[in-house]
Amino acid sequence: MKILVPTKRVPDTDQKIVASADGLRVETDHIPHVINPFDAIAVEEAVRISERLRDVEVVAVGIGGPEYEQPLRTALAMGAARGIIVQCAKPLDPWNVSRLLKAIVERETPDLVLMGKQAVDDDANQTGQFLAALLDWPQATFASRLEFIGNELRVDRETDHGIETLTLTLPALVTTDLRLNEPRYASMAGIMKARKKPLETIAAGELGVPLEPRVEVIRYRSGDTRRAGERLASLDEFAALIAQAAGIGG
Amino acid sequence: MRILVITEHDGTTLRPASLSCLGFAQQAARPSSGEVAWLVLGQGIADVAAAAAQYAPVIAIDAAGLEHELAESYARAIAEVVKSGRFDLVAAASSTFAKDIFPRAAALHGGAMASDVVRHEWADGRLLFDCPRFAGAVTATIALHGSPQFVTVRASAYPAAVPLSQAATVEPMELPPATFARRARYEGLRSKQTARPDVAEARVVVSGGRAFKSAEDFERYVGGLADVLGAATGSSRALVDAGIAPNELQVGQTGKIVAPDLYLALGISGAVQHLAGMKNSKKIAAVNSDPDAPIFEVADFGFVGDVYAVTPELIKRLEQNGAGATG
Ligand SMILES: Cc1cc2nc3c(=O)[nH]c(=O)nc-3n(C[C@H](O)[C@H](O)[C@H](O)COP(=O)(O)OP(=O)(O)OC[C@H]3O[C@@H](n4cnc5c(N)ncnc54)[C@H](O)[C@@H]3O)c2cc1C
Ligand SMILES: Nc1ncnc2c1ncn2[C@@H]1O[C@H](COP(=O)(O)O)[C@@H](O)[C@H]1O
């Protein structure tokens, strides 16, 4: 079995992120970048499957510039077998990422594409569903548990109304939610091994996918910050303010 | 401009978020004297379609193949209706239902999609959308290229549509059986039954964080306070991860986005990912034992103290307060 794991490189969103003064960019250059947290969960799950079942190859793929070596080496250090960088000059919107990923799926013919439900920079939550549609594969988004049963994959999904269970026939696409697992830290040995694992670079132009821009950003602005209010010393006053805001009582 | 709004329902009633999405569509349509229609999908949906027709004309697809909300069949059905009705814009309220199905439908029409729209404007004949990014730290104003365009809309950002003076029409539509083919099988849904309001829809939300050590404590303190306020309960990710609160209560970047009249955070530190889900609440109140907790930076009123001691005192005072209410 082969599992393809798309991984995006994103700024660490625990850091303070603001729009540039001219509104044309988001100031991220000075911020450390990481593997998108949901993609780390996808890598972890794929690696666990490869540890549990025989003959499972985990391939990580990133679409971006040469700086993608960093998140892909992280994926390799966590246990992926090889990596692919689809090199392109500038960041692409989810539609074009999904079209390039489709071309990679056609070359690699994986049984399962396992990827993050959303990238924490654009928060789009689109790419996996786009890709599933382009491939006409069954999908299970927001997965919190995976189990292979014969040739099928049983998935628990986190929905607004509870945990839904689906069974998918392979090949299939699954996007990860936070509670699927806790990604491991790459061990020193893992990091050493990762240096020797194959990391291939393909120019996006070679995939025969003409770009079709869909999202034009007109401007960015930093989110509205709220001002801190009062700190109450009296519980009576605090309770009264709560009652007032909730619209109960006097 | 022709706009199609996809309803979300539970088989009998429309979800309130869908009415806010219709509110968005009506605003967006107005400058071009556009038309807005609903799409109701499912099996046995006559009641929902009739309820929806109180607000706007309805296209109804009632089919056995739509018994469960599965992305493959729902996306194809939406795509078919969009094509045959020549809609320019397709909208749904942001929810796990729409996030699952909508991008898949958009991809069948060329992938022009915006997620979680919180504001829109017309500029030079183009409709622009504001979308939060980086957990809401930044808002991007974007234009989509291509048609039709698909958007999910944050319900709390738009007022609900108002009923028409006379109900509109319900137009049943049939789709070819191939629309409903799929390779995913529905097995079931496990949800915690609760008598409390839905956290995404409630006027008041009481949320608990890592301060609470067990499900019993969560129910007793967070649930207890919610009940005196007629509120929904919510939770930080920490408690959901720990299995103390069910996942459908998680508020935040990757949980539900809420904007109630009052959000009361008990023992929640205020991580950016949590703030992303509640910072647009009208009023925020917080109780935390750490005077430097970041939650106090966004709270309209805060109290420094131990939630195990403060919550019962609040319940007592609010019960008295409620009892004294005149209306
Ligand atoms: C990609 C990603 C997505 C995420 N999405 C979300 C999300 O959607 N929602 C979300 O909530 N989090 C999310 N998180 C997690 C987030 O970063 C925080 O870890 C989480 O919100 C912390 O929860 P907490 O405030 O309950 O716990 P903590 O940060 O541990 O805070 C507990 C607080 O309780 C206080 N406290 C402890 N005991 C008491 C007591 N007895 N009385 C009073 N106060 C007390 C402490 O002072 C502290 O401030 C996400 C993280 C990542 C990486
Ligand atoms: N440039 C990229 N390279 C590889 N994978 C990506 C890229 N952009 C998005 N993805 C994948 O798509 C998922 C969802 O992203 P998004 O739709 O942008 O929220 C991410 O979690 C990644 O798995």
Side-chain angles (χ1 to χ4, degrees):
Chain A
M1 181 165 63
K2 190 190 279 189
I3 307 177
L4 187 73
V5 187
T7 52
K8 188 174 189 185
R9 178 179 179 271
V10 296
D12 180 353
T13 48
D14 284 334
Q15 312 271 331
K16 184 158 177 57
I17 288 173
V18 295
S20 64
D22 60 9
L24 297 179
R25 289 175 304 112
V26 179
E27 305 276 15
T28 55
D29 289 352
H30 62 291
I31 290 175
H33 282 62
V34 294
I35 227 180
N36 181 41
F38 292 98
D39 299 342
I41 292 169
V43 172
E44 174 66 32
E45 194 67 16
V47 169
R48 286 189 195 179
I49 293 168
S50 75
E51 289 165 349
R52 214 162 46 223
L53 304 176
R54 268 186 299 144
D55 296 326
V56 177
E57 187 188 27
V58 179
V59 182
V61 53
I63 299 179
E67 66 282 0
Y68 262 71
E69 176 158 359
Q70 171 213 7
L72 287 170
R73 290 280 176 214
T74 307
L76 297 177
M78 288 171 70
R82 61 194 171 83
I84 303 170
I85 300 178
V86 176
Q87 190 140 0
C88 56
K90 51 181 184 20
L92 301 175
D93 55 32
W95 176 243
N96 290 291
V97 170
S98 67
R99 289 168 67 248
L100 289 170
L101 287 173
K102 175 172 186 259
I104 295 294
V105 168
E106 281 162 357
R107 280 164 74 122
E108 293 284 337
T109 62
D111 304 281
L112 177 64
V113 175
L114 192 55
M115 59 200 281
K117 73 167 180 179
Q118 89 194 54
V120 299
D121 52 0
D122 68 10
D123 281 333
N125 201 328
Q126 297 173 357
T127 309
Q129 297 88 318
F130 281 171
L131 180 57
L134 292 174
L135 295 166
D136 199 21
W137 284 10
Q139 76 184 45
T141 50
F142 326 142
S144 60
R145 208 176 76 89
L146 298 187
E147 184 190 357
F148 285 95
I149 302 176
N151 284 330
E152 295 186 322
L153 183 60
R154 182 157 298 183
V155 186
D156 282 354
R157 307 180 52 228
E158 295 198 351
T159 77
D160 289 344
H161 310 291
I163 308 277
E164 181 184 270
T165 305
L166 299 182
T167 303
L168 311 178
T169 56
L170 299 177
L173 185 140
V174 172
T175 74
T176 59
D177 217 318
L178 292 169
R179 276 168 289 278
L180 183 57
N181 61 49
E182 268 199 48
R184 69 192 71 187
Y185 288 101
S187 65
M188 207 53 212
I191 293 168
M192 298 304 287
K193 257 204 224 152
R195 289 199 188 142
K196 299 203 190 73
K197 289 183 180 174
L199 180 57
E200 178 191 3
T201 298
I202 303 174
E206 276 172 43
L207 292 173
V209 179
L211 294 183
E212 300 175 349
R214 289 288 180 261
V215 178
E216 176 195 347
V217 177
I218 312 287
R219 61 181 175 271
Y220 294 102
R221 79 187 141 71
S222 300
D224 319 314
T225 42
R226 267 183 104 101
R227 258 184 308 123
E230 283 182 86
R231 205 71 67 83
L232 282 307
S234 141
L235 203 53
D236 285 328
E237 276 176 46
F238 185 61
L241 285 167
I242 288 173
Q244 195 183 23
I248 64 159
Chain B
M1 164 167 269
R2 290 173 55 75
I3 307 181
L4 184 68
V5 176
I6 314 303
T7 58
E8 192 178 343
H9 58 83
D10 61 5
T12 43
T13 51
L14 286 171
R15 296 206 189 278
S18 292
L19 288 175
S20 300
C21 185
L22 187 69
F24 152 81
Q26 290 171 339
Q27 282 186 25
R30 207 163 293 138
S32 63
S33 318
E35 284 170 43
V36 179
W38 284 116
L39 174 58
V40 181
L41 299 156
Q43 186 189 22
I45 51 165
D47 290 351
V48 181
Q54 302 297 319
Y55 298 88
V58 173
I59 300 170
I61 302 179
D62 198 334
L66 296 176
E67 183 189 2
H68 300 295
E69 294 166 345
L70 291 169
E72 289 163 85
S73 39
Y74 269 66
R76 275 195 226 100
I78 292 168
E80 289 277 344
V81 175
V82 169
K83 191 168 78 183
S84 68
R86 297 210 194 80
F87 288 97
D88 310 291
L89 182 65
V90 194
S94 275
S95 64
T96 52
F97 163 77
K99 287 176 184 170
D100 182 44
I101 286 162
F102 235 56
R104 189 162 180 135
L108 300 175
H109 277 292
M113 176 163 176
S115 294
D116 233 10
V117 169
V118 293
R119 204 184 70 89
H120 67 277
E121 69 190 270
W122 282 94
D124 305 327
R126 288 201 298 180
L127 193 49
L128 308 183
F129 304 105
D130 276 8
C131 305
R133 296 195 171 181
F134 296 92
V138 168
T139 301
T141 300
I142 66 165
L144 292 174
H145 291 214
S147 176
Q149 304 187 341
F150 286 70
V151 295
T152 57
V153 175
R154 190 173 285 184
S156 59
Y158 287 92
V162 292
L164 304 166
S165 49
Q166 201 185 346
T169 52
V170 176
E171 179 198 333
M173 192 170 157
E174 302 241 351
L175 295 176
T179 314
F180 309 114
R182 51 173 194 259
R183 274 167 295 152
R185 209 164 58 237
Y186 177 85
E187 305 285 357
L189 176 74
R190 279 170 287 143
S191 63
K192 284 246 166 103
Q193 290 305 324
T194 164
R196 297 193 183 106
D198 185 328
V199 56
E201 294 160 8
R203 275 187 47 251
V204 179
V205 175
V206 180
S207 272
R210 182 131 41 205
F212 296 96
K213 301 296 172 224
S214 67
E216 293 70 43
D217 288 357
F218 183 82
E219 178 51 35
R220 187 151 139 230
Y221 294 92
V222 182
L225 184 50
D227 289 343
V228 260
L229 292 168
T233 52
S235 164
S236 72
R237 177 186 166 195
L239 287 195
V240 182
D241 283 357
I244 291 173
N247 80 286
E248 58 266 30
L249 295 194
Q250 182 178 315
V251 170
Q253 180 191 17
T254 53
K256 291 185 180 168
I257 314 278
V258 303
D261 292 344
L262 172 66
Y263 187 89
L264 181 45
L266 302 174
I268 293 177
S269 60
V272 285
Q273 295 92 349
H274 188 80
L275 299 184
M278 43 65 77
K279 69 176 178 206
N280 292 325
S281 305
K282 286 208 187 71
K283 294 278 182 206
I284 297 173
V287 179
N288 198 303
S289 52
D290 173 5
D292 297 323
I295 190 77
F296 287 127
E297 288 160 29
V298 300
D300 297 284
F301 24 99
F303 191 86
V304 178
D306 183 334
V307 288
Y308 279 92
V310 172
T311 315
E313 290 297 320
L314 284 176
I315 293 175
K316 208 157 65 189
R317 282 169 173 76
L318 289 164
E319 268 170 353
Q320 285 163 3
N321 208 320
T326 47

